[in-house]
Amino acid sequence: QVQPVESGGGLVQAGGSLRLSCAASGRTSSGYTMGWFRQAPGKEREFVAAVSWGFGYTYYADSVKGRFTISRAFAKNTVYLQMSSLKPEDTAVYYCAVRARNSGNYQSAADYDYWGQGTQVTVSS
């Protein structure tokens, strides 16, 4: 079992930056995928970015491509989401998730097995 724990959310002005961290307790495997999702009030949870734990392949939603960067640190069992050029529409609760297999749709929340509690990101205009 893997338990992701997010940190790093907060309040930032539009155009600013934040870095989210996700520390995964438990044993990870090279076949895992680590993802970030977000959910704004009244909206469905949406895919933001993902990284394959073994090879480090990265994937992004079109809405964040060029502004957000996902990365991983093996030694710390941690995944980061560096967010730049933030916009008010990026305001949401951000969740870290672990997909404990090397198949399926990395953009689908239903394919992820373990979820963190979420961290609030608020971007003011």
Side-chain angles (χ1 to χ4, degrees), residues 12-18 67-68 83-88 90 94 121 123:
V12 63
Q13 287 190 331
S17 299
L18 275 177
R67 300 189 298 122
F68 291 10
M83 306 184 294
S84 303
S85 302
L86 283 162
K87 305 175 182 179
D90 294 318
Y94 283 69
V121 172
V123 184

Side-chain angles (χ1 to χ4, degrees), residues 35-38 45-51 58-70 81 87 90 94 105-108 112:
W36 286 97
F37 289 76
R38 66 187 182 187
R45 193 167 297 190
E46 65 172 0
F47 170 76
V48 175
V51 60
T58 57
Y59 312 92
Y60 297 95
D62 288 342
S63 59
V64 306
K65 205 171 291 184
R67 300 189 298 122
F68 291 10
T69 302
I70 189 170
L81 185 68
K87 305 175 182 179
D90 294 318
Y94 283 69
N105 179 3
Y106 63 83
Q107 297 186 80
S108 171
Y112 286 75

Side-chain angles (χ1 to χ4, degrees), residues 16-108:
S17 299
L18 275 177
R19 188 177 80 157
L20 304 183
S21 299
C22 173
S25 64
R27 195 167 188 171
T28 54
S29 169
S30 60
Y32 285 9
T33 299
M34 311 285 284
W36 286 97
F37 289 76
R38 66 187 182 187
Q39 189 166 17
K43 295 189 177 181
E44 291 189 355
R45 193 167 297 190
E46 65 172 0
F47 170 76
V48 175
V51 60
S52 62
W53 191 249
F55 290 102
Y57 298 138
T58 57
Y59 312 92
Y60 297 95
D62 288 342
S63 59
V64 306
K65 205 171 291 184
R67 300 189 298 122
F68 291 10
T69 302
I70 189 170
S71 61
R72 74 210 195 290
F74 281 122
K76 297 182 178 181
N77 237 25
T78 298
V79 174
Y80 302 99
L81 185 68
Q82 178 66 48
M83 306 184 294
S84 303
S85 302
L86 283 162
K87 305 175 182 179
E89 50 264 43
D90 294 318
T91 295
V93 176
Y94 283 69
Y95 296 91
C96 178
V98 179
R99 188 180 72 171
R101 57 190 176 279
N102 193 18
S103 62
N105 179 3
Y106 63 83
Q107 297 186 80
S108 171

